[in-house]
PDB file of all heavy atoms in Angstrom:
ATOM      1  N   PHE A  84     162.191 -21.635-114.497  1.00  0.00           N
ATOM      2  CA  PHE A  84     161.891 -21.926-115.892  1.00  0.00           C
ATOM      3  C   PHE A  84     163.182 -21.915-116.722  1.00  0.00           C
ATOM      4  O   PHE A  84     163.430 -22.818-117.522  1.00  0.00           O
ATOM      5  CB  PHE A  84     160.889 -20.907-116.433  1.00  0.00           C
ATOM      6  CG  PHE A  84     160.473 -21.137-117.854  1.00  0.00           C
ATOM      7  CD1 PHE A  84     159.462 -22.036-118.152  1.00  0.00           C
ATOM      8  CD2 PHE A  84     161.074 -20.441-118.897  1.00  0.00           C
ATOM      9  CE1 PHE A  84     159.062 -22.245-119.476  1.00  0.00           C
ATOM     10  CE2 PHE A  84     160.682 -20.632-120.213  1.00  0.00           C
ATOM     11  CZ  PHE A  84     159.679 -21.546-120.502  1.00  0.00           C
ATOM     12  N   GLU A  85     164.003 -20.892-116.510  1.00  0.00           N
ATOM     13  CA  GLU A  85     165.262 -20.799-117.252  1.00  0.00           C
ATOM     14  C   GLU A  85     166.190 -21.961-116.907  1.00  0.00           C
ATOM     15  O   GLU A  85     166.837 -22.528-117.789  1.00  0.00           O
ATOM     16  CB  GLU A  85     165.936 -19.447-116.998  1.00  0.00           C
ATOM     17  CG  GLU A  85     165.199 -18.307-117.670  1.00  0.00           C
ATOM     18  CD  GLU A  85     165.742 -16.923-117.324  1.00  0.00           C
ATOM     19  OE1 GLU A  85     166.644 -16.801-116.456  1.00  0.00           O
ATOM     20  OE2 GLU A  85     165.240 -15.946-117.920  1.00  0.00           O
ATOM     21  N   ARG A  86     166.251 -22.336-115.640  1.00  0.00           N
ATOM     22  CA  ARG A  86     167.083 -23.464-115.225  1.00  0.00           C
ATOM     23  C   ARG A  86     166.585 -24.741-115.894  1.00  0.00           C
ATOM     24  O   ARG A  86     167.366 -25.538-116.421  1.00  0.00           O
ATOM     25  CB  ARG A  86     167.079 -23.601-113.696  1.00  0.00           C
ATOM     26  CG  ARG A  86     167.850 -24.781-113.174  1.00  0.00           C
ATOM     27  CD  ARG A  86     169.334 -24.588-113.282  1.00  0.00           C
ATOM     28  NE  ARG A  86     170.035 -25.739-112.718  1.00  0.00           N
ATOM     29  CZ  ARG A  86     171.259 -26.059-113.018  1.00  0.00           C
ATOM     30  NH1 ARG A  86     171.963 -25.313-113.833  1.00  0.00           N
ATOM     31  NH2 ARG A  86     171.820 -27.110-112.476  1.00  0.00           N
ATOM     32  N   MET A  87     165.272 -24.957-115.865  1.00  0.00           N
ATOM     33  CA  MET A  87     164.706 -26.168-116.452  1.00  0.00           C
ATOM     34  C   MET A  87     164.977 -26.207-117.953  1.00  0.00           C
ATOM     35  O   MET A  87     165.394 -27.251-118.478  1.00  0.00           O
ATOM     36  CB  MET A  87     163.204 -26.256-116.180  1.00  0.00           C
ATOM     37  CG  MET A  87     162.564 -27.513-116.753  1.00  0.00           C
ATOM     38  SD  MET A  87     160.848 -27.708-116.313  1.00  0.00           S
ATOM     39  CE  MET A  87     161.033 -28.649-114.805  1.00  0.00           C
ATOM     40  N   THR A  88     164.782 -25.106-118.644  1.00  0.00           N
ATOM     41  CA  THR A  88     165.000 -25.112-120.093  1.00  0.00           C
ATOM     42  C   THR A  88     166.491 -25.205-120.440  1.00  0.00           C
ATOM     43  O   THR A  88     166.845 -25.802-121.446  1.00  0.00           O
ATOM     44  CB  THR A  88     164.342 -23.903-120.777  1.00  0.00           C
ATOM     45  OG1 THR A  88     164.822 -22.688-120.193  1.00  0.00           O
ATOM     46  CG2 THR A  88     162.823 -23.974-120.653  1.00  0.00           C
ATOM     47  N   ASP A  89     167.361 -24.629-119.597  1.00  0.00           N
ATOM     48  CA  ASP A  89     168.809 -24.772-119.824  1.00  0.00           C
ATOM     49  C   ASP A  89     169.235 -26.238-119.780  1.00  0.00           C
ATOM     50  O   ASP A  89     170.157 -26.644-120.483  1.00  0.00           O
ATOM     51  CB  ASP A  89     169.614 -23.988-118.779  1.00  0.00           C
ATOM     52  CG  ASP A  89     169.601 -22.490-119.017  1.00  0.00           C
ATOM     53  OD1 ASP A  89     169.160 -22.043-120.114  1.00  0.00           O
ATOM     54  OD2 ASP A  89     170.019 -21.748-118.097  1.00  0.00           O
ATOM     55  N   LEU A  90     168.554 -27.028-118.963  1.00  0.00           N
ATOM     56  CA  LEU A  90     168.901 -28.446-118.796  1.00  0.00           C
ATOM     57  C   LEU A  90     168.033 -29.384-119.643  1.00  0.00           C
ATOM     58  O   LEU A  90     168.122 -30.605-119.494  1.00  0.00           O
ATOM     59  CB  LEU A  90     168.780 -28.836-117.319  1.00  0.00           C
ATOM     60  CG  LEU A  90     169.710 -28.107-116.360  1.00  0.00           C
ATOM     61  CD1 LEU A  90     169.360 -28.456-114.922  1.00  0.00           C
ATOM     62  CD2 LEU A  90     171.162 -28.432-116.669  1.00  0.00           C
ATOM     63  N   TRP A  91     167.211 -28.829-120.515  1.00  0.00           N
ATOM     64  CA  TRP A  91     166.178 -29.588-121.240  1.00  0.00           C
ATOM     65  C   TRP A  91     166.739 -30.839-121.913  1.00  0.00           C
ATOM     66  O   TRP A  91     166.114 -31.896-121.907  1.00  0.00           O
ATOM     67  CB  TRP A  91     165.489 -28.685-122.261  1.00  0.00           C
ATOM     68  CG  TRP A  91     164.156 -29.183-122.675  1.00  0.00           C
ATOM     69  CD1 TRP A  91     163.840 -29.756-123.882  1.00  0.00           C
ATOM     70  CD2 TRP A  91     162.951 -29.180-121.926  1.00  0.00           C
ATOM     71  NE1 TRP A  91     162.507 -30.098-123.913  1.00  0.00           N
ATOM     72  CE2 TRP A  91     161.942 -29.747-122.709  1.00  0.00           C
ATOM     73  CE3 TRP A  91     162.622 -28.744-120.641  1.00  0.00           C
ATOM     74  CZ2 TRP A  91     160.634 -29.897-122.279  1.00  0.00           C
ATOM     75  CZ3 TRP A  91     161.312 -28.885-120.203  1.00  0.00           C
ATOM     76  CH2 TRP A  91     160.339 -29.463-121.018  1.00  0.00           C
ATOM     77  N   THR A  92     167.920 -30.744-122.502  1.00  0.00           N
ATOM     78  CA  THR A  92     168.495 -31.883-123.227  1.00  0.00           C
ATOM     79  C   THR A  92     169.735 -32.451-122.537  1.00  0.00           C
ATOM     80  O   THR A  92     170.517 -33.180-123.155  1.00  0.00           O
ATOM     81  CB  THR A  92     168.855 -31.465-124.670  1.00  0.00           C
ATOM     82  OG1 THR A  92     169.781 -30.378-124.616  1.00  0.00           O
ATOM     83  CG2 THR A  92     167.616 -31.055-125.451  1.00  0.00           C
ATOM     84  N   THR A  93     169.898 -32.126-121.266  1.00  0.00           N
ATOM     85  CA  THR A  93     171.081 -32.559-120.526  1.00  0.00           C
ATOM     86  C   THR A  93     170.828 -33.887-119.807  1.00  0.00           C
ATOM     87  O   THR A  93     169.964 -33.959-118.926  1.00  0.00           O
ATOM     88  CB  THR A  93     171.489 -31.488-119.488  1.00  0.00           C
ATOM     89  OG1 THR A  93     171.695 -30.246-120.159  1.00  0.00           O
ATOM     90  CG2 THR A  93     172.735 -31.893-118.736  1.00  0.00           C
ATOM     91  N   PRO A  94     171.586 -34.946-120.170  1.00  0.00           N
ATOM     92  CA  PRO A  94     171.446 -36.211-119.436  1.00  0.00           C
ATOM     93  C   PRO A  94     171.734 -35.986-117.945  1.00  0.00           C
ATOM     94  O   PRO A  94     172.607 -35.206-117.584  1.00  0.00           O
ATOM     95  CB  PRO A  94     172.514 -37.110-120.072  1.00  0.00           C
ATOM     96  CG  PRO A  94     172.722 -36.530-121.450  1.00  0.00           C
ATOM     97  CD  PRO A  94     172.557 -35.039-121.271  1.00  0.00           C
ATOM     98  N   GLY A  95     170.960 -36.665-117.105  1.00  0.00           N
ATOM     99  CA  GLY A  95     171.130 -36.523-115.662  1.00  0.00           C
ATOM    100  C   GLY A  95     170.313 -35.398-115.066  1.00  0.00           C
ATOM    101  O   GLY A  95     170.345 -35.177-113.853  1.00  0.00           O
ATOM    102  N   ARG A  96     169.548 -34.692-115.885  1.00  0.00           N
ATOM    103  CA  ARG A  96     168.765 -33.552-115.384  1.00  0.00           C
ATOM    104  C   ARG A  96     167.777 -33.949-114.289  1.00  0.00           C
ATOM    105  O   ARG A  96     167.382 -33.126-113.479  1.00  0.00           O
ATOM    106  CB  ARG A  96     168.021 -32.854-116.534  1.00  0.00           C
ATOM    107  CG  ARG A  96     166.918 -33.703-117.126  1.00  0.00           C
ATOM    108  CD  ARG A  96     166.229 -33.058-118.294  1.00  0.00           C
ATOM    109  NE  ARG A  96     165.010 -33.787-118.604  1.00  0.00           N
ATOM    110  CZ  ARG A  96     164.084 -33.366-119.425  1.00  0.00           C
ATOM    111  NH1 ARG A  96     164.224 -32.210-120.046  1.00  0.00           N
ATOM    112  NH2 ARG A  96     163.013 -34.085-119.649  1.00  0.00           N
TER     113      ARG A  96
END
Side-chain angles (χ1 to χ4, degrees):
F84 182 84
E85 289 174 354
R86 177 73 178 158
M87 181 175 270
T88 56
D89 285 348
L90 298 173
W91 201 253
T92 58
T93 304
R96 68 183 193 169

